[in-house]
Amino acid sequence: MTSLFQALDAETGDFRAHGLCAQTDPEVFFPESGSAAAAKRVCLACSVRRECLEYAIEHGERGVWGGTSEKQRTAIRRVRTKDAAA
Ligand code: SF4
């Protein structure tokens, strides 16, 4: 699994420097079975949330990115695919 920081370094180092998660325990963003609420709260205040979300949608990342869970991003992808086909 690509870590949040590795991915941001590799492709979008520009927004990593502004991500609030850089100041937060990374484990919070990859909850095994617990709630993702703590990570989502951090993301809500993050200035690069949109860039982060688009990156995660494009790359199929796991964990919380851009204030969304993997399941939520899957739903976004589904809607976009459906809209593009219409
Ligand atoms: S939106 Fe969330 S996961 Fe993305 S850079 Fe900001 S704090 Fe990190």
Side-chain angles (χ1 to χ4, degrees), residues 4 8 15-16 18-22 29 39 42-44 46-50 52-53 64-67:
L4 176 61
L8 295 176
F15 78 80
R16 178 190 172 194
H18 303 286
L20 289 179
C21 52
F29 291 85
V42 174
C43 294
L44 281 176
C46 183
S47 63
V48 292
R49 184 175 172 206
R50 176 164 291 281
C52 180
L53 174 59
V64 175
W65 290 68

Side-chain angles (χ1 to χ4, degrees), residues 33-64:
S33 57
S35 170
K40 289 179 178 180
R41 275 195 299 276
V42 174
C43 294
L44 281 176
C46 183
S47 63
V48 292
R49 184 175 172 206
R50 176 164 291 281
E51 293 92 331
C52 180
L53 174 59
E54 291 304 325
Y55 177 90
I57 290 170
E58 184 179 334
H59 292 85
E61 294 292 350
R62 298 187 181 280
V64 175

Side-chain angles (χ1 to χ4, degrees), residues 10-25:
E11 299 198 25
T12 56
D14 190 45
F15 78 80
R16 178 190 172 194
H18 303 286
L20 289 179
C21 52
Q23 305 161 28
T24 309
D25 177 2

